[in-house]
Structure formats: C-alpha cells, structure tokens
Amino acid sequence: MKILVTGGTGYIGSHTVVELQKKGYEVIIVDNLSNSSAEVVDNIARITGIKPLFEKIDLSLPEPAHDFFTRNSNLNAVIHFAAFKAVGESVAQPLKYYRNNLDSLLNLLSEMEIHGIRDMVFSSSCTVYGQPDKLPVTEQAPIMKAASPYGNTKQISEEIIVDVSKAHNLRAILLR
C-alpha cells in the first residue's frame, strides 16, 4: 500500500511515517516545511533504513496539488496532518489559517475524488469541543463554538469531510 502523509516532516507526521514504514507501507511525504525541516526525512531514514519519498509542496495551492496527484495517482490512502496549528497566531492572522487549512483540505479532497482515492485519516483537534463544560474532554463531549480561528478550521474541515463522505463514498476517520 502506498500512503500519502501530508505534514509528514512535522512531529506527529514523522512519527506516523516511521510506524507506517516499519509495518511495510510505502510512504510519500508532502510538506511545505513551514513548521519543520527537510532534515527530518533523513532522520526517518536513519531510524527505519528506508528514505521516504518527499516533495515540498504547498497543498493550499491547487496547481501543485493537482500536479502531485497526477504524478502519484496510485496512492491508496491519505493521512492529512498538514495544517497551521498555533491558536494565538490564528487569532492574530485568521485569514492565513482559513486559507491554508481549508484550501489544502479542499484541494486534497478534490484530487482524491479525481484519482479514486477513498481512504483518509484526518488529524482534527480537541479544539472542536470549544470551551467544554466539564473535564476531562471525551469524544462524547458536545462540539461547541470554536474559541479560535484554528479550532474553527478544524470544525469546518470535519463538516466538509462528512459531507464529502456522504456524496462520494469517502471513508474517513477524524482523529481528535
């Protein structure tokens, strides 16, 4: 199986790539390196003995996303970690967060549909629960108004994925 890991040079993404490779999956990493370094790919190779394919791409732009999927139309699944994630920065620069986090998801979903890729794992966030009424927060907690633009992008992303799943037979897991 060939799996695309977006944000694969980030902390969670790189650890996921290591585990996937240990289990025998072929992994391609796409990352714009805004919160990480390409050196991570070499570190993954040192740990696993396998250097994953890596492309520096800004998935929030439709043309690079389309070009990537055209060249890699044999992907079996997508694990989507790529997103801006600083709550405070999202309050100060909301448009930056909406453009990056939502456009990259929309471009991914469009390309997945075009190329018949039906399986996705989406890295959401506990911020979708807003300011919860009680702690600890569990997945049974109600989703409340997001307290930041970052949290709102995760709420909106989840809604988009649910809608696309219903319309296009996308099998998705939303991780919080």
Side-chain angles (χ1 to χ4, degrees):
M1 262 186 102
K2 194 174 199 180
I3 300 176
L4 168 62
V5 178
T6 71
T9 61
Y11 182 79
I12 295 171
S14 62
H15 283 76
T16 300
V17 171
V18 166
E19 294 306 314
L20 288 169
Q21 287 186 328
K22 285 182 178 179
K23 299 246 188 271
Y25 293 99
E26 183 180 352
V27 179
I28 299 179
I29 297 170
V30 167
D31 203 304
N32 69 5
L33 302 178
S34 64
N35 290 310
S36 59
S37 165
E39 293 171 5
V40 172
V41 176
D42 294 328
N43 294 337
I44 292 169
R46 276 194 285 284
I47 293 167
T48 66
I50 303 164
K51 187 170 186 173
L53 296 174
F54 167 74
E55 292 196 35
K56 181 182 177 189
I57 296 174
D58 183 347
L59 290 171
S60 70
L61 303 173
E63 285 142 12
H66 179 71
D67 291 344
F68 171 82
F69 276 90
T70 299
R71 288 182 282 106
N72 296 280
S73 61
N74 60 342
L75 294 167
N76 299 102
V78 174
I79 301 176
H80 185 39
F81 291 119
F84 291 153
K85 60 183 173 30
V87 172
E89 182 182 63
S90 79
V91 173
Q93 298 178 55
L95 291 178
K96 175 182 174 180
Y97 276 70
Y98 286 112
R99 282 193 179 111
N100 183 74
N101 295 0
L102 297 177
D103 287 350
S104 62
L105 175 66
L106 293 170
N107 291 333
L108 271 177
L109 291 170
S110 293
E111 293 301 325
M112 288 174 68
E113 182 181 342
I114 289 167
H115 296 286
I117 303 163
R118 297 283 171 239
D119 296 307
M120 172 186 245
V121 175
F122 175 70
S123 178
S124 190
S125 169
C126 70
T127 61
V128 300
Y129 299 111
Q131 295 297 323
D133 295 331
K134 59 182 185 172
L135 298 174
V137 175
T138 68
E139 288 188 353
Q140 287 70 44
I143 292 176
M144 301 172 79
K145 181 168 175 45
S148 69
Y150 164 72
N152 201 28
T153 67
K154 292 299 186 172
Q155 285 181 343
I156 293 167
S157 293
E158 286 190 12
E159 292 170 0
I160 290 168
I161 292 167
V162 167
D163 289 343
V164 171
S165 294
K166 290 176 186 173
H168 298 290
N169 196 29
L170 175 70
R171 294 178 296 239
I173 296 171
L174 309 174
L175 300 177
R176 294 181 186 151

